[in-house]
Amino acid sequence: MLQNRQLDQYGEKDGMMKTLAPAGATALLLTPCLSVAQAAAGDETGEEWIEEIVTYGRETSLVGESRAASEGIVGYDDIRLPPLLRVGELVESVPGMVATQHSGTGKANQYFIRGFNLDHGTDFAVSVEGVPINLRTNGHGQGYLDLNFLIPELVETTSYRRGPYSAEVGDFGTAASVDFKLYDTLPGPVLSATAGEDGYWRALAAGSLQTSMGSFTGAVDATRYDGPWELDEDLQQYKFYAAWMFDLAGGSASISAQGYDGEWTSTDQIPLRAVAAGLIDRLGYIDPDLGGETQRYALTAALDFDSWRATAYAIDYDFRLYSNFTYALDDPLTGDEFEQDDERRIYGLRIDGDSLLGRGERDVILRWGGEFRLDDISEVGLYGTEGRVRNEIVRQDSVDELSVAAWAEADYRFNDRLRFFGGLRADWYEWDVDAFRTENSGTGNESILSPGAGLAYRLGDGAEAYVNWGRGFHSNDVRGTTIEVDPVTGEPSDPVEALVASEGAEVGLRVERGTGFNATFVIFWLELDSELVYVGDAGNTEPNDATERVGFEATAFWRPTEWLALHAAYTTTNAEFATDQGGGREIPGAVESTFTTGVNANWANGLFASARLRWLSEAPLTEDGSVRSDESLLVNAGLGYRSGRFEYRLDVFNLFDSDDADISYYYASRLPGEAAEGVEDIHFHPLEPRTIRASVSFRWR
């Protein structure tokens, strides 16, 4: 919460009027008409022009404010200028983060950071205005993180942390955490339309209304997409957002509602041998019945005063996914297709605040908070299917999962150079599992303490060094804590711990030269008591042995002129299972190195351009490293022009038409005519081929 106030300080209090972009840049693109100052200038026709003040969150000065070199703020034109193919790629504004996809657009992305293949969430915690998004005990994968419900044009800033050093971050925050802040008020009504290759179109309407009762904001968003695949994706996404913000007793209050309905057909990862033999095209498919649908509806109410904030939320969530990763390995007659279901309601309350203790140079800033969350899961199921028709019940459970947490952090400034910060978090979980097989039912509870500490030493006006240490955790699917027999084989099964601790430390350096240049350098170490590993032939995550990671990260932002900005991030990580549990084994899917770089240009004559390059190194696909994925390179670029109240934009995704894989796995599957034991093979999902999208936006006030 304090960090959100810092964001307001860097923006509104500096006198910049931040506004929503004229929407509809590209598919889910955030266009760059932000931080607008309206100048009393006109062209020869007398039409009013809008002078752009380009603002990048990366320019925010954090020396003397940040508690680690690995945390920061990204927003405004950082987000809105670069082309955006999918909503989940919003997280790629975090240095070192990569979001890929191995299934249909409507499914949650696959995330990579700090040597983690985070599947669809696991050790990466995301919240929107303080409301947690990761789903515990999910039907598809633990910590499932689907951002498709977001309307990107409403996202103002992204605050991020990497590593488990902050007591404010709880479940799933070991590798990284992000909080998206939405715009409080939009400057005026916006209409936009986008069209592109492969049957893509998108329409958006958004705006705010100021009245004596407060500010009302609304947005509706509709997207359709067939995709480049031989099997039409037939993506349909519909979203709405409505919010009312008003003054209350010296503070502010807000009530908001969000809705999302999406469905799609997917071409999942395919076996390399089938493409090599000419059985299918690299954009082809094996099973035509895959895909899914998601509905998410949420109500949020918040109170915000000078020293504390409270947020209450209720979410209704429904998810259904059809997958088939092994084709006919387990069931040669009807195939291995399966359905995963998740139906739940989530209720939560978060209260946090801050206060200044003492006077003078040695003030202590105390931050504190508490959280309550109940996941009322009416159905979390796994079913065998054929042509999306159920023919077997593997699991059909209901779960109540409750958590309560409290945390506190103190920042103490010894002098104008040296700062200390330390904190402690306590989490308590309780659960009740009602399983399809009664012997797997049960109840339980567990708690965990997560301390953290750090030092910051200011080397000069533009440089600061940091040392950080902390403990974090992730929760496991609580059905694993009560299990006694395997639901498929009926054999005895060992239960797992509900809460798994992690520990990490880093040494970092931040360098700033005015607002035009900054860079960070970090060496980190991270250890998990048990790794959540994606299992390709099961389509979910499973607990595995303890792991260790050591890595290096470097980021840089440079704005040499008012119209040009460049940024880059490089990471490299050595990730292995812990030495006391058979060390030397590599972690499948753990990408060793990443490099991203981008350039944004915004000229006074209305022209603007953006380009972004993303490189992923190879990664081990087996524990002995004998099978590895190939490197991948992706470049997206966009060019646009603003004229009066109109904005026109053309974006090209996968500019050089790379045929690299977006993601790869290695496991056994069986195609018709193959041996009963199947064939171990690389299964991959290719990058989408080069595609072009054009948009027009209109703002009439």
Side-chain angles (χ1 to χ4, degrees), residues 98-125:
V98 172
T100 66
Q101 183 57 272
H102 76 100
S103 187
T105 305
K107 187 179 175 183
N109 286 76
Q110 201 98 353
Y111 307 100
F112 295 86
I113 195 170
R114 287 199 163 184
F116 281 85
N117 177 348
L118 294 163
D119 187 35
H120 302 292
T122 60
D123 291 286
F124 175 39

PDB file of all heavy atoms in Angstrom, residues 98-125:
ATOM      1  N   VAL A  98       9.563 -13.419 -18.713  1.00  0.00           N
ATOM      2  CA  VAL A  98       9.137 -13.826 -20.048  1.00  0.00           C
ATOM      3  C   VAL A  98       7.837 -14.607 -19.909  1.00  0.00           C
ATOM      4  O   VAL A  98       7.716 -15.482 -19.042  1.00  0.00           O
ATOM      5  CB  VAL A  98      10.203 -14.681 -20.746  1.00  0.00           C
ATOM      6  CG1 VAL A  98       9.666 -15.266 -22.044  1.00  0.00           C
ATOM      7  CG2 VAL A  98      11.463 -13.864 -21.011  1.00  0.00           C
ATOM      8  N   ALA A  99       6.860 -14.283 -20.746  1.00  0.00           N
ATOM      9  CA  ALA A  99       5.585 -14.993 -20.766  1.00  0.00           C
ATOM     10  C   ALA A  99       5.408 -15.665 -22.118  1.00  0.00           C
ATOM     11  O   ALA A  99       5.469 -15.009 -23.154  1.00  0.00           O
ATOM     12  CB  ALA A  99       4.426 -14.031 -20.496  1.00  0.00           C
ATOM     13  N   THR A 100       5.218 -16.975 -22.122  1.00  0.00           N
ATOM     14  CA  THR A 100       5.008 -17.731 -23.355  1.00  0.00           C
ATOM     15  C   THR A 100       3.646 -18.424 -23.286  1.00  0.00           C
ATOM     16  O   THR A 100       2.889 -18.234 -22.335  1.00  0.00           O
ATOM     17  CB  THR A 100       6.119 -18.765 -23.570  1.00  0.00           C
ATOM     18  OG1 THR A 100       6.034 -19.770 -22.537  1.00  0.00           O
ATOM     19  CG2 THR A 100       7.492 -18.119 -23.516  1.00  0.00           C
ATOM     20  N   GLN A 101       3.367 -19.260 -24.279  1.00  0.00           N
ATOM     21  CA  GLN A 101       2.092 -19.969 -24.312  1.00  0.00           C
ATOM     22  C   GLN A 101       2.285 -21.320 -24.978  1.00  0.00           C
ATOM     23  O   GLN A 101       2.958 -21.419 -26.000  1.00  0.00           O
ATOM     24  CB  GLN A 101       1.048 -19.160 -25.076  1.00  0.00           C
ATOM     25  CG  GLN A 101      -0.335 -19.764 -25.121  1.00  0.00           C
ATOM     26  CD  GLN A 101      -0.926 -20.021 -23.743  1.00  0.00           C
ATOM     27  OE1 GLN A 101      -0.715 -21.092 -23.164  1.00  0.00           O
ATOM     28  NE2 GLN A 101      -1.663 -19.053 -23.210  1.00  0.00           N
ATOM     29  N   HIS A 102       1.720 -22.382 -24.369  1.00  0.00           N
ATOM     30  CA  HIS A 102       1.801 -23.707 -24.996  1.00  0.00           C
ATOM     31  C   HIS A 102       0.418 -24.223 -25.350  1.00  0.00           C
ATOM     32  O   HIS A 102       0.260 -25.383 -25.735  1.00  0.00           O
ATOM     33  CB  HIS A 102       2.514 -24.703 -24.069  1.00  0.00           C
ATOM     34  CG  HIS A 102       1.674 -25.193 -22.918  1.00  0.00           C
ATOM     35  ND1 HIS A 102       1.055 -26.406 -22.928  1.00  0.00           N
ATOM     36  CD2 HIS A 102       1.374 -24.619 -21.736  1.00  0.00           C
ATOM     37  CE1 HIS A 102       0.393 -26.582 -21.786  1.00  0.00           C
ATOM     38  NE2 HIS A 102       0.565 -25.505 -21.044  1.00  0.00           N
ATOM     39  N   SER A 103      -0.571 -23.353 -25.262  1.00  0.00           N
ATOM     40  CA  SER A 103      -1.939 -23.778 -25.526  1.00  0.00           C
ATOM     41  C   SER A 103      -2.686 -22.624 -26.167  1.00  0.00           C
ATOM     42  O   SER A 103      -2.079 -21.746 -26.768  1.00  0.00           O
ATOM     43  CB  SER A 103      -2.594 -24.221 -24.206  1.00  0.00           C
ATOM     44  OG  SER A 103      -3.857 -24.794 -24.434  1.00  0.00           O
ATOM     45  N   GLY A 104      -4.010 -22.592 -26.042  1.00  0.00           N
ATOM     46  CA  GLY A 104      -4.794 -21.534 -26.639  1.00  0.00           C
ATOM     47  C   GLY A 104      -4.639 -20.209 -25.914  1.00  0.00           C
ATOM     48  O   GLY A 104      -4.238 -20.154 -24.747  1.00  0.00           O
ATOM     49  N   THR A 105      -4.990 -19.119 -26.610  1.00  0.00           N
ATOM     50  CA  THR A 105      -4.833 -17.784 -26.057  1.00  0.00           C
ATOM     51  C   THR A 105      -5.630 -17.598 -24.782  1.00  0.00           C
ATOM     52  O   THR A 105      -5.231 -16.845 -23.890  1.00  0.00           O
ATOM     53  CB  THR A 105      -5.277 -16.730 -27.095  1.00  0.00           C
ATOM     54  OG1 THR A 105      -4.546 -16.934 -28.303  1.00  0.00           O
ATOM     55  CG2 THR A 105      -5.040 -15.320 -26.605  1.00  0.00           C
ATOM     56  N   GLY A 106      -6.761 -18.267 -24.646  1.00  0.00           N
ATOM     57  CA  GLY A 106      -7.604 -18.084 -23.472  1.00  0.00           C
ATOM     58  C   GLY A 106      -7.074 -18.718 -22.213  1.00  0.00           C
ATOM     59  O   GLY A 106      -7.610 -18.478 -21.121  1.00  0.00           O
ATOM     60  N   LYS A 107      -6.033 -19.523 -22.318  1.00  0.00           N
ATOM     61  CA  LYS A 107      -5.452 -20.177 -21.150  1.00  0.00           C
ATOM     62  C   LYS A 107      -4.373 -19.288 -20.545  1.00  0.00           C
ATOM     63  O   LYS A 107      -3.790 -18.445 -21.211  1.00  0.00           O
ATOM     64  CB  LYS A 107      -4.853 -21.525 -21.582  1.00  0.00           C
ATOM     65  CG  LYS A 107      -4.362 -22.400 -20.447  1.00  0.00           C
ATOM     66  CD  LYS A 107      -3.828 -23.706 -21.002  1.00  0.00           C
ATOM     67  CE  LYS A 107      -3.213 -24.576 -19.913  1.00  0.00           C
ATOM     68  NZ  LYS A 107      -2.634 -25.819 -20.468  1.00  0.00           N
ATOM     69  N   ALA A 108      -4.094 -19.465 -19.259  1.00  0.00           N
ATOM     70  CA  ALA A 108      -3.044 -18.699 -18.602  1.00  0.00           C
ATOM     71  C   ALA A 108      -1.711 -18.932 -19.298  1.00  0.00           C
ATOM     72  O   ALA A 108      -1.441 -20.012 -19.834  1.00  0.00           O
ATOM     73  CB  ALA A 108      -2.933 -19.100 -17.130  1.00  0.00           C
ATOM     74  N   ASN A 109      -0.868 -17.905 -19.285  1.00  0.00           N
ATOM     75  CA  ASN A 109       0.457 -18.013 -19.899  1.00  0.00           C
ATOM     76  C   ASN A 109       1.381 -18.900 -19.091  1.00  0.00           C
ATOM     77  O   ASN A 109       1.103 -19.281 -17.957  1.00  0.00           O
ATOM     78  CB  ASN A 109       1.084 -16.623 -20.034  1.00  0.00           C
ATOM     79  CG  ASN A 109       0.446 -15.803 -21.135  1.00  0.00           C
ATOM     80  OD1 ASN A 109      -0.648 -15.279 -20.980  1.00  0.00           O
ATOM     81  ND2 ASN A 109       1.120 -15.698 -22.259  1.00  0.00           N
ATOM     82  N   GLN A 110       2.526 -19.222 -19.692  1.00  0.00           N
ATOM     83  CA  GLN A 110       3.633 -19.897 -19.029  1.00  0.00           C
ATOM     84  C   GLN A 110       4.668 -18.812 -18.722  1.00  0.00           C
ATOM     85  O   GLN A 110       4.992 -17.996 -19.581  1.00  0.00           O
ATOM     86  CB  GLN A 110       4.247 -20.951 -19.946  1.00  0.00           C
ATOM     87  CG  GLN A 110       5.030 -22.018 -19.221  1.00  0.00           C
ATOM     88  CD  GLN A 110       4.218 -23.278 -18.991  1.00  0.00           C
ATOM     89  OE1 GLN A 110       3.019 -23.289 -19.275  1.00  0.00           O
ATOM     90  NE2 GLN A 110       4.828 -24.318 -18.486  1.00  0.00           N
ATOM     91  N   TYR A 111       5.184 -18.781 -17.480  1.00  0.00           N
ATOM     92  CA  TYR A 111       6.039 -17.678 -17.045  1.00  0.00           C
ATOM     93  C   TYR A 111       7.436 -18.178 -16.696  1.00  0.00           C
ATOM     94  O   TYR A 111       7.605 -19.265 -16.126  1.00  0.00           O
ATOM     95  CB  TYR A 111       5.424 -16.983 -15.828  1.00  0.00           C
ATOM     96  CG  TYR A 111       3.993 -16.560 -16.029  1.00  0.00           C
ATOM     97  CD1 TYR A 111       2.938 -17.325 -15.525  1.00  0.00           C
ATOM     98  CD2 TYR A 111       3.678 -15.405 -16.740  1.00  0.00           C
ATOM     99  CE1 TYR A 111       1.624 -16.944 -15.710  1.00  0.00           C
ATOM    100  CE2 TYR A 111       2.359 -15.016 -16.932  1.00  0.00           C
ATOM    101  CZ  TYR A 111       1.333 -15.791 -16.411  1.00  0.00           C
ATOM    102  OH  TYR A 111       0.027 -15.409 -16.601  1.00  0.00           O
ATOM    103  N   PHE A 112       8.447 -17.353 -17.028  1.00  0.00           N
ATOM    104  CA  PHE A 112       9.842 -17.688 -16.748  1.00  0.00           C
ATOM    105  C   PHE A 112      10.527 -16.490 -16.091  1.00  0.00           C
ATOM    106  O   PHE A 112      10.490 -15.374 -16.620  1.00  0.00           O
ATOM    107  CB  PHE A 112      10.589 -18.023 -18.041  1.00  0.00           C
ATOM    108  CG  PHE A 112      10.093 -19.249 -18.746  1.00  0.00           C
ATOM    109  CD1 PHE A 112       9.029 -19.177 -19.632  1.00  0.00           C
ATOM    110  CD2 PHE A 112      10.681 -20.487 -18.523  1.00  0.00           C
ATOM    111  CE1 PHE A 112       8.562 -20.298 -20.292  1.00  0.00           C
ATOM    112  CE2 PHE A 112      10.220 -21.617 -19.175  1.00  0.00           C
ATOM    113  CZ  PHE A 112       9.160 -21.529 -20.066  1.00  0.00           C
ATOM    114  N   ILE A 113      11.180 -16.734 -14.949  1.00  0.00           N
ATOM    115  CA  ILE A 113      12.009 -15.712 -14.313  1.00  0.00           C
ATOM    116  C   ILE A 113      12.936 -16.396 -13.310  1.00  0.00           C
ATOM    117  O   ILE A 113      12.584 -17.407 -12.702  1.00  0.00           O
ATOM    118  CB  ILE A 113      11.156 -14.629 -13.612  1.00  0.00           C
ATOM    119  CG1 ILE A 113      12.015 -13.398 -13.297  1.00  0.00           C
ATOM    120  CG2 ILE A 113      10.474 -15.172 -12.376  1.00  0.00           C
ATOM    121  CD1 ILE A 113      11.230 -12.194 -12.836  1.00  0.00           C
ATOM    122  N   ARG A 114      14.147 -15.870 -13.175  1.00  0.00           N
ATOM    123  CA  ARG A 114      15.139 -16.371 -12.219  1.00  0.00           C
ATOM    124  C   ARG A 114      15.338 -17.887 -12.292  1.00  0.00           C
ATOM    125  O   ARG A 114      15.456 -18.569 -11.276  1.00  0.00           O
ATOM    126  CB  ARG A 114      14.773 -15.949 -10.794  1.00  0.00           C
ATOM    127  CG  ARG A 114      15.020 -14.478 -10.537  1.00  0.00           C
ATOM    128  CD  ARG A 114      15.117 -14.120  -9.082  1.00  0.00           C
ATOM    129  NE  ARG A 114      15.751 -12.796  -8.940  1.00  0.00           N
ATOM    130  CZ  ARG A 114      16.050 -12.210  -7.791  1.00  0.00           C
ATOM    131  NH1 ARG A 114      15.780 -12.837  -6.665  1.00  0.00           N
ATOM    132  NH2 ARG A 114      16.620 -11.024  -7.759  1.00  0.00           N
ATOM    133  N   GLY A 115      15.383 -18.419 -13.496  1.00  0.00           N
ATOM    134  CA  GLY A 115      15.621 -19.844 -13.651  1.00  0.00           C
ATOM    135  C   GLY A 115      14.435 -20.713 -13.290  1.00  0.00           C
ATOM    136  O   GLY A 115      14.583 -21.931 -13.139  1.00  0.00           O
ATOM    137  N   PHE A 116      13.257 -20.129 -13.172  1.00  0.00           N
ATOM    138  CA  PHE A 116      12.038 -20.886 -12.906  1.00  0.00           C
ATOM    139  C   PHE A 116      11.245 -21.044 -14.194  1.00  0.00           C
ATOM    140  O   PHE A 116      11.061 -20.077 -14.936  1.00  0.00           O
ATOM    141  CB  PHE A 116      11.143 -20.146 -11.903  1.00  0.00           C
ATOM    142  CG  PHE A 116      11.553 -20.269 -10.472  1.00  0.00           C
ATOM    143  CD1 PHE A 116      12.510 -19.413  -9.942  1.00  0.00           C
ATOM    144  CD2 PHE A 116      10.972 -21.208  -9.640  1.00  0.00           C
ATOM    145  CE1 PHE A 116      12.881 -19.495  -8.627  1.00  0.00           C
ATOM    146  CE2 PHE A 116      11.339 -21.302  -8.311  1.00  0.00           C
ATOM    147  CZ  PHE A 116      12.300 -20.451  -7.798  1.00  0.00           C
ATOM    148  N   ASN A 117      10.757 -22.257 -14.438  1.00  0.00           N
ATOM    149  CA  ASN A 117       9.634 -22.458 -15.340  1.00  0.00           C
ATOM    150  C   ASN A 117       8.411 -22.490 -14.431  1.00  0.00           C
ATOM    151  O   ASN A 117       8.142 -23.492 -13.767  1.00  0.00           O
ATOM    152  CB  ASN A 117       9.775 -23.767 -16.109  1.00  0.00           C
ATOM    153  CG  ASN A 117       8.582 -24.044 -17.010  1.00  0.00           C
ATOM    154  OD1 ASN A 117       7.559 -23.402 -16.917  1.00  0.00           O
ATOM    155  ND2 ASN A 117       8.728 -25.028 -17.881  1.00  0.00           N
ATOM    156  N   LEU A 118       7.700 -21.373 -14.374  1.00  0.00           N
ATOM    157  CA  LEU A 118       6.658 -21.195 -13.372  1.00  0.00           C
ATOM    158  C   LEU A 118       5.320 -21.776 -13.802  1.00  0.00           C
ATOM    159  O   LEU A 118       4.294 -21.465 -13.181  1.00  0.00           O
ATOM    160  CB  LEU A 118       6.507 -19.702 -13.060  1.00  0.00           C
ATOM    161  CG  LEU A 118       7.745 -19.086 -12.387  1.00  0.00           C
ATOM    162  CD1 LEU A 118       7.704 -17.575 -12.491  1.00  0.00           C
ATOM    163  CD2 LEU A 118       7.833 -19.526 -10.940  1.00  0.00           C
ATOM    164  N   ASP A 119       5.334 -22.619 -14.850  1.00  0.00           N
ATOM    165  CA  ASP A 119       4.096 -23.174 -15.366  1.00  0.00           C
ATOM    166  C   ASP A 119       3.096 -22.030 -15.515  1.00  0.00           C
ATOM    167  O   ASP A 119       3.379 -21.026 -16.133  1.00  0.00           O
ATOM    168  CB  ASP A 119       3.589 -24.282 -14.451  1.00  0.00           C
ATOM    169  CG  ASP A 119       2.383 -25.008 -15.041  1.00  0.00           C
ATOM    170  OD1 ASP A 119       2.336 -25.174 -16.265  1.00  0.00           O
ATOM    171  OD2 ASP A 119       1.495 -25.402 -14.274  1.00  0.00           O
ATOM    172  N   HIS A 120       1.936 -22.118 -14.924  1.00  0.00           N
ATOM    173  CA  HIS A 120       0.932 -21.065 -15.049  1.00  0.00           C
ATOM    174  C   HIS A 120       0.825 -20.252 -13.763  1.00  0.00           C
ATOM    175  O   HIS A 120      -0.222 -19.662 -13.481  1.00  0.00           O
ATOM    176  CB  HIS A 120      -0.420 -21.666 -15.418  1.00  0.00           C
ATOM    177  CG  HIS A 120      -0.387 -22.447 -16.684  1.00  0.00           C
ATOM    178  ND1 HIS A 120      -0.187 -21.857 -17.918  1.00  0.00           N
ATOM    179  CD2 HIS A 120      -0.489 -23.773 -16.928  1.00  0.00           C
ATOM    180  CE1 HIS A 120      -0.189 -22.783 -18.855  1.00  0.00           C
ATOM    181  NE2 HIS A 120      -0.368 -23.951 -18.280  1.00  0.00           N
ATOM    182  N   GLY A 121       1.868 -20.199 -12.960  1.00  0.00           N
ATOM    183  CA  GLY A 121       1.835 -19.394 -11.751  1.00  0.00           C
ATOM    184  C   GLY A 121       2.855 -19.866 -10.737  1.00  0.00           C
ATOM    185  O   GLY A 121       3.954 -19.330 -10.645  1.00  0.00           O
ATOM    186  N   THR A 122       2.523 -20.895  -9.983  1.00  0.00           N
ATOM    187  CA  THR A 122       3.337 -21.478  -8.910  1.00  0.00           C
ATOM    188  C   THR A 122       4.050 -20.402  -8.089  1.00  0.00           C
ATOM    189  O   THR A 122       3.399 -19.746  -7.293  1.00  0.00           O
ATOM    190  CB  THR A 122       4.315 -22.536  -9.454  1.00  0.00           C
ATOM    191  OG1 THR A 122       5.196 -21.963 -10.406  1.00  0.00           O
ATOM    192  CG2 THR A 122       3.563 -23.675 -10.123  1.00  0.00           C
ATOM    193  N   ASP A 123       5.340 -20.158  -8.274  1.00  0.00           N
ATOM    194  CA  ASP A 123       6.084 -19.256  -7.389  1.00  0.00           C
ATOM    195  C   ASP A 123       6.153 -17.824  -7.910  1.00  0.00           C
ATOM    196  O   ASP A 123       7.139 -17.122  -7.694  1.00  0.00           O
ATOM    197  CB  ASP A 123       7.495 -19.814  -7.163  1.00  0.00           C
ATOM    198  CG  ASP A 123       7.462 -21.074  -6.325  1.00  0.00           C
ATOM    199  OD1 ASP A 123       7.231 -20.969  -5.115  1.00  0.00           O
ATOM    200  OD2 ASP A 123       7.649 -22.169  -6.881  1.00  0.00           O
ATOM    201  N   PHE A 124       5.111 -17.373  -8.576  1.00  0.00           N
ATOM    202  CA  PHE A 124       5.013 -16.012  -9.080  1.00  0.00           C
ATOM    203  C   PHE A 124       3.664 -15.447  -8.647  1.00  0.00           C
ATOM    204  O   PHE A 124       2.617 -15.852  -9.146  1.00  0.00           O
ATOM    205  CB  PHE A 124       5.145 -16.017 -10.607  1.00  0.00           C
ATOM    206  CG  PHE A 124       4.949 -14.682 -11.257  1.00  0.00           C
ATOM    207  CD1 PHE A 124       5.432 -13.519 -10.690  1.00  0.00           C
ATOM    208  CD2 PHE A 124       4.280 -14.595 -12.469  1.00  0.00           C
ATOM    209  CE1 PHE A 124       5.243 -12.289 -11.303  1.00  0.00           C
ATOM    210  CE2 PHE A 124       4.092 -13.370 -13.101  1.00  0.00           C
ATOM    211  CZ  PHE A 124       4.574 -12.209 -12.511  1.00  0.00           C
ATOM    212  N   ALA A 125       3.675 -14.520  -7.684  1.00  0.00           N
ATOM    213  CA  ALA A 125       2.452 -13.988  -7.094  1.00  0.00           C
ATOM    214  C   ALA A 125       2.053 -12.695  -7.789  1.00  0.00           C
ATOM    215  O   ALA A 125       2.868 -11.783  -7.927  1.00  0.00           O
ATOM    216  CB  ALA A 125       2.639 -13.742  -5.602  1.00  0.00           C
TER     217      ALA A 125
END
